[in-house]
């Protein structure tokens, strides 16, 4: 693994590592770390730094849903055109073109189930190219972006006595 890839893995692990920490862990000097990160940002390969939030640990409700989208394309409309339109909505946190039984996988967030439902039915479903939406509400999260959630007890299995 080259130093650039190692830096990317370290940043994915913890984007709050200091330049000094990154340099030590990647066996690089600090100037090289800063230059590599600046190059990755300028090239658009490194697009942002985000916190992973366990909403269950807060007093505020946050509703998330995964939505399967099927679309019909015509000669003037591409998957990219549809994706550009959907991605502009602030409620959409993730949008991926998929293989398989549906075309896009969209993840959305809102303050309530009715807000998320309204967004899907009133903003997404009416898009002319969208032929079907299937919504799956997230009931609980156990791992997000490589970070495990939970109470810290690593083994929740029940003991079985013979």
């Amino acid at each position: 693994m080259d130093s650039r890839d190692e830096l990317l893995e370290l940043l994915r692990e913890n984007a709050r590592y200091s330049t000094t920490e990154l340099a030590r862990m990647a066996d690089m000097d600090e100037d090289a770390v800063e230059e590599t990160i600046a190059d990755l940002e300028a090239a658009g390969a490194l697009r942002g730094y985000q916190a992973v939030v366990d909403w269950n640990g807060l007093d505020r409700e946050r509703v998330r849903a995964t939505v399967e989208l099927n679309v019909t394309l015509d000669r003037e409309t591409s998957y990219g055109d549809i994706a550009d339109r959907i991605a502009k909505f602030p409620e959409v946190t993730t949008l991926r073109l998929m293989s398989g039984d549906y075309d896009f996988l969209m993840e959305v967030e809102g303050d309530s189930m009715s807000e998320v439902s309204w967004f899907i039915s009133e903003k997404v479903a009416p898009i002319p190219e969208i032929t079907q939406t299937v919504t799956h509400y997230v009931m609980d999260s156990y791992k997000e972006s490589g970070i495990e959630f939970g109470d810290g007890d690593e083994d929740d299995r029940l003991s079985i006595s013979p």
Side-chain angles (χ1 to χ4, degrees):
M1 177 181 320
D2 69 7
S3 58
R4 182 190 65 184
D5 291 341
E6 189 170 356
L7 272 180
L8 287 171
E9 287 302 315
L10 289 167
L11 288 169
R12 287 186 57 178
E13 176 185 306
N14 183 353
R16 295 187 65 179
Y17 283 138
S18 69
T19 303
T20 303
E21 291 170 316
L22 289 168
R24 180 181 45 78
M25 290 186 279
D27 196 27
M28 299 171 67
D29 67 47
E30 290 183 33
D31 289 338
V33 168
E34 289 175 355
E35 182 179 328
T36 302
I37 290 173
D39 290 347
L40 289 166
E41 289 172 342
L46 192 53
R47 298 211 172 220
Y49 304 86
Q50 296 182 340
V52 176
V53 178
D54 183 355
W55 292 101
N56 292 330
L58 302 174
D59 291 332
R60 181 172 166 235
E61 180 183 12
R62 193 73 179 156
V63 175
R64 298 179 346 164
T66 299
V67 185
E68 300 170 10
L69 302 174
N70 282 314
V71 302
T72 299
L73 301 178
D74 57 35
R75 292 180 190 264
E76 294 83 36
T77 308
S78 69
Y79 286 119
D81 295 332
I82 297 167
D84 288 343
R85 184 168 177 187
I86 295 169
K88 287 182 177 26
F89 291 113
E91 294 88 349
V92 176
T93 60
T94 302
L95 182 63
R96 294 184 173 101
L97 181 63
M98 304 297 288
S99 65
D101 293 334
Y102 52 92
D103 299 306
F104 287 101
L105 179 70
M106 176 178 74
E107 295 178 13
V108 298
E109 288 189 5
D111 289 330
S112 68
M113 191 174 283
S114 62
E115 181 181 302
V116 170
S117 296
W118 180 89
F119 168 71
I120 295 164
S121 66
E122 299 299 320
K123 295 294 185 179
V124 177
I127 295 172
E129 295 82 8
I130 293 181
T131 59
Q132 181 182 27
T133 66
V134 178
T135 303
H136 306 276
Y137 287 94
V138 175
M139 304 303 289
D140 205 351
S141 293
Y142 301 99
K143 188 173 184 176
E144 181 95 20
S145 299
I147 307 293
E148 288 187 53
F149 297 163
D151 58 8
D153 185 5
E154 293 185 23
D155 191 355
D156 289 337
R157 296 176 291 176
L158 298 174
S159 297
I160 299 177
S161 301

